[in-house]
Amino acid sequence: MMEEKKACTECGEPILGRSDKKFCSDQCRNTFNNRLNSDTNAVVRNISNVLRKNRRILQTLAPEGKQRVSKDKMVELGYNFKFHTHEYTTQKGDCYQYCFEYGFLISEENYCFVVIDSKLG
């Protein structure tokens, strides 16, 4: 009985080796998976870029960890208020938005109080 050769899922070349292999090489496996995940990776990459930029802005504005900054200045530097990593609500009910270890509280006067959480950093 002649064994049927399986073809590589990516390039169609015959596969040698284990019977459950799907790809002829690591390169074909990587190419296939990169193409499969490219849409998802683009979304995640774009969000990660925004979060990293937001963190850099907060770090620049409050290098010592505490600083009162105008919200307009944050916008001018390119801060995107739609993206943050988490929130923390104090016992008084103040809600800090965090971008990794840097957070801020928006006050009524169009200012933000930027802080750093030393436990995270």
Side-chain angles (χ1 to χ4, degrees), residues 21-71:
K21 280 179 75 174
K22 296 180 182 180
F23 304 99
C24 66
S25 67
D26 286 341
Q27 181 180 351
C28 279
R29 178 177 45 81
N30 288 334
T31 301
F32 177 85
N33 286 320
N34 286 341
R35 190 173 5 74
L36 186 69
N37 295 324
S38 65
D39 290 344
T40 304
N41 289 344
V43 170
V44 172
R45 185 173 44 253
N46 291 340
I47 291 171
S48 292
N49 287 340
V50 171
L51 289 171
R52 278 197 307 276
K53 181 178 181 181
N54 281 353
R55 183 190 176 278
R56 275 193 307 272
I57 291 168
L58 293 174
Q59 183 180 30
T60 301
L61 293 172
E64 302 300 317
K66 288 185 180 179
Q67 186 68 43
R68 186 172 179 253
V69 179
S70 91
K71 191 174 175 185

Side-chain angles (χ1 to χ4, degrees), residues 55 62-66 98 101-103 114-119 121:
R55 183 190 176 278
E64 302 300 317
K66 288 185 180 179
Y98 276 85
E101 76 275 29
Y102 288 92
V114 181
V115 297
I116 185 170
D117 187 336
S118 58
K119 293 178 292 225

Side-chain angles (χ1 to χ4, degrees), residues 53-109:
K53 181 178 181 181
N54 281 353
R55 183 190 176 278
R56 275 193 307 272
I57 291 168
L58 293 174
Q59 183 180 30
T60 301
L61 293 172
E64 302 300 317
K66 288 185 180 179
Q67 186 68 43
R68 186 172 179 253
V69 179
S70 91
K71 191 174 175 185
D72 293 337
K73 179 70 173 173
M74 292 172 70
V75 169
E76 178 185 314
L77 292 173
Y79 194 90
N80 187 331
F81 286 89
K82 294 179 186 174
F83 292 90
H84 57 277
T85 56
H86 62 287
E87 294 180 347
Y88 174 74
T89 304
T90 65
Q91 289 180 341
K92 292 194 308 186
D94 294 332
C95 184
Y96 284 81
Q97 289 186 356
Y98 276 85
C99 192
F100 303 103
E101 76 275 29
Y102 288 92
F104 63 90
L105 174 68
I106 298 175
S107 67
E108 291 122 26
E109 309 91 42

